[in-house]
Amino acid sequence: MALSQDEMKQQVAEAALEYVESGMIVGIGTGSTANHFIDGLAKMKGKIDGTVASSEASAERLRGHGIEVMELNAVGNIPLYVDGADESNKYLHLIKGGGGALTREKIVAAAAEKFVCIADESKLVDMLGAFPLPIEVIPMARSYVARQLVKLGGEPVYREGFVTDNGNIILDIHNMEILNPVELEVTLNSIVGVVTNGLFAQRPADVLLLGTQDGVRSIT
Ligand code: 5RP
């Protein structure tokens, strides 16, 4: 019987547990795939020293399992970060932020030595951008930033009723041609009022584990 998308997410989250080593502080992503990873980690929580969470939601789930959540400022480098993605290309450039946690995700990814991205096979694409690219924006800059995004060829849509863990808003850019993710990430970050954009290309994933109907595929 064919695996559902959620079963593929679970399968790939379990595969990521193999990257967890004794005494590690593990960076934890956000979303349904990361949730499967958290649930798996709970079964081996005695092995790790603690975690750093990329969102309040993940922190709450970790604590619910009795797993220690630490402040990033209280730890040094993080040996391992495990998180999902909305899209990945074959260079492991990602679009993230479907759940709105992109800024903290990008911070934890930046602080991590190894970023293992976990996703079901539908997330691997030839070109990034079919998934609307999330941008976290300081609330007072919303209209200004939206106008700049239109000039860059995108169609920004305000994510109604959503406030990030940092108290900001999200604009999702639709129909943006992302020919050069590394360059676009820098361009978007240089717009005043933008906190972070959901392109993870300057710091891509190091390993992409993909859940497929035929098992877990690893791309490096
Ligand atoms: C949250 C994210 C998630 O990693 C992304 O949205 C994928 O989510 P899911 O694992 O539920 O498919 O970037 O901000």
Side-chain angles (χ1 to χ4, degrees):
M1 209 172 69
L3 294 176
S4 67
Q5 187 182 31
D6 194 58
E7 284 166 337
M8 285 189 274
K9 288 180 179 190
Q10 189 167 0
Q11 171 198 59
V12 83
E14 270 161 30
L17 291 171
E18 286 172 26
Y19 287 81
V20 177
E21 291 172 16
S22 287
M24 266 186 172
I25 291 173
V26 184
I28 307 289
T30 299
S32 56
T33 320
N35 281 346
H36 283 306
F37 179 74
I38 293 171
D39 297 346
L41 195 62
K43 295 177 202 139
M44 54 193 285
K45 63 184 177 190
K47 189 175 175 182
I48 59 167
D49 268 10
T51 59
V52 172
S54 61
S55 63
E56 300 297 340
S58 290
E60 199 176 310
R61 195 175 187 100
L62 286 159
R63 289 195 192 100
H65 282 301
I67 300 173
E68 188 176 356
V69 181
M70 297 162 150
E71 289 296 323
L72 179 60
N73 290 321
V75 303
N77 269 9
I78 296 173
L80 174 68
Y81 177 53
V82 179
D83 195 0
D86 298 302
E87 281 184 351
S88 174
N89 66 18
K90 64 179 178 189
Y91 307 108
L92 312 193
H93 300 150
L94 314 173
I95 287 185
K96 291 186 46 53
L102 59 159
T103 299
R104 294 189 186 193
E105 290 172 343
K106 203 177 266 197
I107 293 168
V108 184
E113 280 156 35
K114 181 173 269 185
F115 176 6
V116 176
C117 182
I118 50 176
D120 69 89
E121 61 188 349
S122 71
K123 306 288 183 73
L124 184 64
V125 297
D126 287 333
M127 199 201 287
L128 299 176
F131 189 92
L133 176 62
I135 316 280
E136 180 163 355
V137 177
I138 302 284
M140 74 169 283
R142 185 180 91 199
S143 302
Y144 168 76
V145 170
R147 288 195 295 277
Q148 307 313 305
L149 297 176
V150 170
K151 282 186 201 163
L152 289 173
E155 289 169 32
V157 176
Y158 173 45
R159 205 182 285 186
E160 292 277 354
F162 185 85
V163 178
T164 70
D165 284 348
N166 313 306
N168 298 313
I169 61 115
I170 299 276
L171 295 174
D172 291 301
I173 316 182
H174 292 247
N175 301 320
M176 185 84 151
E177 237 191 10
I178 305 181
L179 299 172
N180 187 334
V182 176
E183 228 172 69
L184 185 63
E185 184 176 356
V186 175
T187 305
L188 292 170
N189 278 345
S190 70
I191 301 171
V192 175
V194 168
V195 178
T196 330
N197 69 80
L199 280 172
F200 284 52
Q202 299 277 328
R203 198 278 181 254
D206 299 304
V207 181
L208 173 63
L209 298 179
L210 274 185
T212 79
Q213 293 297 339
D214 307 315
V216 174
R217 186 178 155 204
S218 169
I219 303 176
T220 49

